[in-house]
Amino acid sequence: MSSAAQPAPPANCGLQVLWDDRLTGYDFGPGHPMNPVRVELTIALAREYGLFDRPNVRVTAFEPADDKLLARVHEESYIAAVRHAGATGLPEPGRGIGTADNPVFLGMHDASALIAGASVAGARAVWEGGAEHAVNVSGGLHHAMAGAASGFCVYNDAALAIAWLLDNGAERVAYVDVDVHHGDGVQALFYDDPRVMTVSLHETPRTLFPGTGFPSETGGSGAEGTAVNVALPPGTGDAAWLRAFEAVVPPLLRAFAPQVLVTQHGADVHALDPLAHLILTLDGQRTAYRRLHGLAHEVAGGRWLATGGGGYELVQVVPRAWTHLIAEAAGLPIAPETPTPDPWREFVRQRTDEVAPRRMTDGTTEVEVRTWETGFDPANPVDQAVLATRRAVFPEHGLDPMTDL
């Protein structure tokens, strides 16, 4: 099966893009992998392609999350600790603030609350009908826990968006995380809540932070089968990753029937990412975006909130990946062979002193995928990972681990 065999998502979808230049203030300082230039270059590239000038796309203002909203998923004492550290510069290592992963920076609370507010505004837009889809490329801070910062993440914007949806009438929300790292914070915050299905495809925790995300993590009492983890071996590339995706995500989303789809799109699955060991291309990632867009229309009435996430190849990977995400969510996909605009390449040179990529592809127009219906290969480590996940959760949804698609 080719990715082209999947039904094409609708064109010209109503899209709300949550952006404010102040979002680049989420900055852990020089030398930290999570440099905000990656989102700056993303927005600049999307603008050069004219995506924000299309009549179906709106770039909208939003408010930062206030303490009451943050407390929906975070401990009040933790919020106070973040605010204190951001005002004084003093670490709170017991709260994960002031560590190598999460150095203190002045204004930490305000910058983090702004990202959270953007994702919640996107959730509100898709739930209340302000837009079919919403994108917050600065979001996806999926490691933040109720009472601690973790893995470059201070406030868990995706979890806050999901909590807002639940508080405002949503009965079933699905969260799909395609970052190379396990979406541990979102899973932990909803582990016992049967209204939320969290699905994470990631590099195996045996070789990568945060050390969680085994197939056996399937949800707490009363929520069995709503935590779904596909732990992939290092070296997994486009075709194998997409095979795993197709074997797990669509059948579970169809069975769960969410009213809203929330997705996290860490670009660190790319072969060039310096912090992990999967080897997807930009084209494999673009294919995943198209599939998630189609699934949002198929299973969730088109209600789709997409966020950014990890991604530490700041020039060659993240800006192109997330520009493809924005374009896909708008129903205006960019052809992979499209050249990157000359003004953007010059902006990249000025901002980073690097040579920008010249096309919106890594060289593959379509990724061929051998789907699960072709049969299970017991010698293939990706198939082993997929089957472990299907065996762990499919029966909870009345699905056959070997055959159902």
Side-chain angles (χ1 to χ4, degrees):
M1 181 199 89
S2 148
S3 59
Q6 299 294 339
N12 296 304
C13 299
L15 173 64
Q16 185 172 110
V17 176
L18 290 308
W19 179 251
D20 183 311
D21 289 345
R22 293 177 298 162
L23 288 166
T24 60
Y26 190 82
D27 187 352
F28 289 111
H32 193 279
M34 197 164 178
N35 189 322
V37 74
R38 64 195 193 127
V39 291
E40 182 183 356
L41 295 180
T42 298
I43 296 300
L45 182 56
R47 282 190 174 129
E48 285 293 337
Y49 282 125
L51 292 175
F52 301 156
D53 300 325
R54 299 298 184 99
N56 61 310
V57 178
R58 291 183 295 118
V59 180
T60 59
F62 52 90
E63 295 296 323
D66 60 22
D67 285 7
K68 180 180 179 181
L69 177 57
L70 293 170
R72 178 60 178 80
V73 302
H74 290 293
E75 298 169 7
E76 291 183 4
S77 58
Y78 171 63
I79 300 166
V82 174
R83 189 187 298 276
H84 182 261
T88 65
L90 297 175
E92 293 264 3
R95 295 287 194 174
I97 304 166
T99 63
D101 276 0
N102 299 287
V104 173
F105 63 93
L106 295 179
M108 174 182 276
H109 168 81
D110 294 337
S112 304
L114 191 65
I115 291 173
S119 289
V120 172
R124 179 183 294 111
V126 300
W127 184 244
E128 295 182 347
E132 284 183 280
H133 312 324
V135 174
N136 173 20
V137 292
S138 71
L141 304 181
H142 60 167
H143 295 307
M145 296 293 180
S150 177
F152 314 160
C153 306
V154 177
Y155 293 140
N156 198 316
D157 63 287
L160 283 159
I162 294 168
W164 185 92
L165 289 165
L166 297 175
D167 291 346
N168 285 272
E171 297 174 347
R172 294 177 310 284
V173 179
Y175 170 79
V176 179
D177 188 317
V178 299
D179 194 289
V180 78
H181 302 92
H182 177 224
D184 59 335
V186 183
Q187 175 181 287
L189 288 162
F190 298 106
Y191 200 67
D192 299 314
D193 194 332
R195 299 173 297 172
V196 180
M197 173 177 281
T198 62
V199 184
S200 180
L201 292 87
H202 48 266
E203 182 178 332
T204 173
R206 298 186 187 280
T207 57
L208 193 66
F209 175 91
T212 57
F214 290 98
S216 57
E217 300 166 32
T218 61
S221 178
E224 295 85 354
T226 59
V228 181
N229 290 289
V230 186
L232 296 166
T236 300
D238 288 343
W241 190 98
L242 288 163
R243 173 172 167 80
F245 177 98
E246 292 294 341
V248 172
V249 178
L252 286 176
L253 291 185
R254 291 169 186 143
F256 187 66
Q259 295 161 296
V260 185
L261 178 62
V262 178
T263 56
Q264 196 268 20
H265 296 269
D268 42 10
V269 292
H270 195 277
L272 294 180
D273 196 88
L275 300 188
H277 316 98
L278 298 190
I279 54 172
L280 273 71
T281 67
L282 188 73
D283 304 289
Q285 292 172 288
R286 175 175 49 81
T287 302
Y289 304 161
R290 184 169 68 231
R291 287 295 290 126
L292 286 166
H293 183 190
L295 285 165
H297 285 280
E298 178 185 345
V299 305
R303 290 178 288 270
W304 179 28
L305 167 64
T307 71
Y312 310 103
E313 208 326 307
L314 308 172
V315 172
Q316 302 302 317
V317 175
V318 175
R320 292 186 299 159
W322 290 349
T323 296
H324 273 304
L325 176 62
I326 294 168
E328 179 60 53
L332 302 164
I334 297 169
E337 64 274 11
T338 304
T340 53
D342 290 340
W344 182 76
R345 292 201 296 270
E346 175 60 20
F347 180 59
V348 168
R349 187 191 66 78
Q350 293 175 1
R351 284 289 289 115
T352 69
D353 203 29
E354 290 192 35
V355 177
R358 300 193 66 84
R359 293 192 300 159
M360 290 295 285
T361 177
D362 286 338
T364 304
T365 302
E366 293 291 344
V367 180
E368 294 292 329
V369 181
R370 186 175 62 88
T371 59
W372 193 253
E373 61 192 346
T374 62
F376 165 67
D377 179 357
N380 185 301
V382 172
D383 278 19
Q384 293 169 10
V386 169
L387 185 57
T389 300
R390 287 171 61 105
R391 282 177 168 164
V393 297
F394 271 37
E396 298 290 348
H397 301 277
L399 299 173
D400 187 308
M402 295 303 299
T403 62
D404 277 338
L405 294 169

